Amino acid sequence: AVIGAMDTEALDATKAKTKQQFLLLHLSTFDESSAFEPEALEAARNAAVGAIRDPVSLFNEQRGIIRIPAIQALGKKKDTKLLLKLLEIFSSGKLEDFLSFLSTNPNILTQFNLVHEECIRYMRILSLCSLADEHEEIPYAAVASTLQVPLEDVESWVISGVSSGLLVAKMDQLQQLVMVERCVVRKFGIEQWKLLQTKMDAWKSNVRGILEGLKRSQAIQAQLAV
C-alpha cells in the first residue's frame, strides 16, 4: 500500500510538471498586445499558481516567469493582483517576506488552493538559496534565523536544500558553518552584478598574487643557478 501510494504521488508530480511546462510554452505565444486576452490571463493564472505550488522542479524554466507579459498582466486585475505579488515573493523573496505578506492577506493561499505547509517548506529552501548566494560561509545561527527554525534543525534543512539540486554545500559541524560551493541565482539585478564584480576583483587579486609569487620564485632560482 505504501509503495502504491508513492507511485501515485510520483505520477501526480510528473503530471503536474508536464502541465506546467505546457503552460509556460503556451504563455510564450502571447506578447504584450495579447497579454490581456482571456485565454492568456487564464494560462498566466494557472502557471503562476503552478510556479508557487512547486518552485523547485522547474526552477530554471520558471526563473524568468515574472517578465512574461501575460504574467505581468495579472497585476492589473483585481482578482489576481495579489497572486502576482505572491509569485514575486517566490521568485526573489525570503521567508520573512512571505510571512509578512500572509499576515496582511490571510486568505490568499486558500483562494488559490495552495497548501500552507508546502509553501513554508519551499520558501525555506529558496531562502537558504538566497543566503547561499550572498555568502560563501554561513553560520548555522544565520541559517536558523533566516529560515526561522531551531538551531538543531539547520543541518536537515541544508540537506533538503542540497537534495533539491539548487545548491551544493558542505557542513562544518565543529565550526557550525555551511560552506557553499555553488548555488542558483534567484534574481540577477544590480546587487548581484556588484557582488559578481567584488568576487571577480578578489579572484584577479589572488591570481595577481600567485603570478608575482611565481616570478619572485623564478628570480631566486635564477640567482641560485648563477
Side-chain angles (χ1 to χ4, degrees), residues 11-184:
L11 182 60
D12 289 343
T14 300
K15 287 181 178 179
K17 184 176 179 179
T18 301
K19 178 183 177 182
Q20 185 70 0
Q21 288 173 319
F22 172 78
L23 283 170
L24 293 172
L25 183 62
H26 187 41
L27 280 178
S28 68
T29 65
F30 300 100
D31 56 20
E32 292 183 1
S33 65
S34 58
F36 287 90
E37 292 180 2
E39 184 181 353
L41 289 172
E42 181 181 1
R45 180 188 183 281
N46 291 334
V49 171
I52 294 168
R53 185 170 287 132
D54 182 0
V56 170
S57 297
L58 293 173
F59 179 85
N60 289 324
E61 293 91 331
Q62 293 176 159
R63 184 157 43 182
I65 192 173
I66 289 294
R67 297 192 296 270
I68 296 175
I71 292 290
Q72 282 295 311
L74 295 175
K76 306 296 183 180
K77 296 292 182 178
K78 184 178 179 180
D79 60 334
T80 54
K81 182 165 58 176
L82 290 177
L83 177 62
L84 178 62
K85 178 60 179 176
L86 183 58
L87 180 62
E88 288 173 346
I89 292 172
F90 270 78
S91 295
S92 58
K94 290 183 179 179
L95 179 63
E96 62 180 342
D97 303 312
F98 175 68
L99 295 176
S100 175
F101 180 74
L102 281 191
S103 68
T104 54
N105 303 281
N107 299 319
I108 185 72
L109 300 185
T110 303
Q111 180 182 348
F112 293 103
N113 196 29
L114 295 164
V115 180
H116 182 270
E117 292 77 12
E118 281 296 290
C119 288
I120 291 288
R121 182 173 72 86
Y122 278 124
M123 278 308 306
R124 281 182 171 142
I125 291 174
L126 294 172
S127 298
L128 178 59
C129 290
S130 291
L131 201 58
D133 183 43
E134 296 163 1
H135 310 281
E136 293 182 356
E137 295 185 357
I138 316 170
Y140 278 23
V143 177
S145 175
T146 300
L147 273 56
Q148 300 187 26
V149 296
L151 196 64
E152 58 267 24
D153 290 348
V154 165
E155 291 183 359
S156 64
W157 280 105
V158 173
I159 291 171
S160 294
V162 172
S163 298
S164 74
L166 299 186
L167 75 152
V168 176
K170 296 178 181 178
M171 290 175 281
D172 187 328
Q173 294 177 318
L174 290 178
Q175 296 190 66
Q176 299 266 286
L177 285 174
V178 179
M179 322 291 286
V180 180
E181 294 185 8
R182 63 178 182 274
C183 76
V184 298

